[in-house]
Amino acid sequence: IGKKQVSGVTTIIDQNLGWKYPALLGWTKKQLRQGIDPDASMKEAGTVGTLVHAMIEAKFSGKEVDMQFFSPSQQGLARVAYSAFLLWWNEQHYEVVGAELQIVHKTLRFGGTIDLLCASRRGKRKILTMIDFKSSSAIYLDHRIQASAYQQLVLHKFEKMPEIIVLHLNKETGAPTPHPFPNLTKEWEVFKLCLRLHKIHSLIK
């Protein structure tokens, strides 16, 4: 906003939502007991997710993805997840509004990147649908909170409340599982509390 950079949705949630950490701590202990470096495991999953997003964005932008910085294993998992996306997408009838769409909420002063925003006709009405891709092992509560914030960003920019689909792309089986969330009111309340904490923290740290 102007010359000031505002915080993103993921940063705000990660730094202020403590609910996720007991489960994360349990997962970390399990990884260590199995002799696996949890930091390396998380980095690997994040890298695969980044590549999947880049491949989907490339489909709609016409750009090519530079694979040279990704290992054969990362490329293989990403291709499986991308095939899951194609399996789902080829059955849809959406018009693409934007992929990897960056939006800033100028009133509440936070930003985020929308994976895919689409439009469709339902009678005489034009419906916006926001699709958030996840290649993690499951869909978690913080994903819903994240989606609620993205939903508000779309509303702020387009003045139309979008429908929400969190699309799980299984990077092991290639199966797509759409999770529609018709009501994220409570999740949005949680995000606003996280945002308030984030702003207070920036004043007193």
Side-chain angles (χ1 to χ4, degrees), residues 171-192:
K171 55 182 179 285
E172 303 290 342
T173 66
T177 307
H179 297 267
F181 291 106
N183 189 337
L184 291 174
T185 304
K186 292 179 180 178
E187 288 83 353
W188 171 235
E189 291 300 319
V190 173
F191 180 80
K192 286 192 291 184

Side-chain angles (χ1 to χ4, degrees), residues 54-98:
M55 293 170 75
I56 295 172
E57 181 185 11
K59 171 179 172 58
F60 300 111
S61 68
K63 300 176 182 177
E64 290 189 9
V65 180
D66 188 351
M67 296 281 193
Q68 65 175 316
F69 300 106
F70 299 93
S71 70
S73 173
Q74 291 165 349
Q75 292 181 36
L77 290 171
R79 286 194 177 98
V80 173
Y82 179 64
S83 71
F85 167 73
L86 292 179
L87 187 63
W88 176 81
W89 178 256
N90 290 337
E91 295 181 351
Q92 310 307 311
H93 302 283
Y94 288 123
E95 169 195 343
V96 175
V97 176

Side-chain angles (χ1 to χ4, degrees), residues 76-147:
L77 290 171
R79 286 194 177 98
V80 173
Y82 179 64
S83 71
F85 167 73
L86 292 179
L87 187 63
W88 176 81
W89 178 256
N90 290 337
E91 295 181 351
Q92 310 307 311
H93 302 283
Y94 288 123
E95 169 195 343
V96 175
V97 176
E100 296 299 315
L101 191 62
Q102 295 184 341
I103 304 176
V104 170
H105 199 300
K106 294 181 180 179
T107 305
L108 296 179
R109 304 184 72 80
F110 72 93
T113 302
I114 310 302
D115 289 347
L116 188 62
L117 185 64
C118 298
S120 58
R121 289 285 176 184
R122 193 170 298 162
K124 294 183 178 180
R125 290 194 304 147
K126 184 177 182 180
I127 306 296
L128 289 180
T129 302
M130 191 200 85
I131 302 152
D132 196 35
F133 308 124
K134 297 298 179 189
S135 56
S136 51
S137 58
I139 303 300
Y140 301 104
L141 174 59
D142 53 305
H143 294 157
R144 302 198 326 254
I145 297 169
Q146 184 186 55

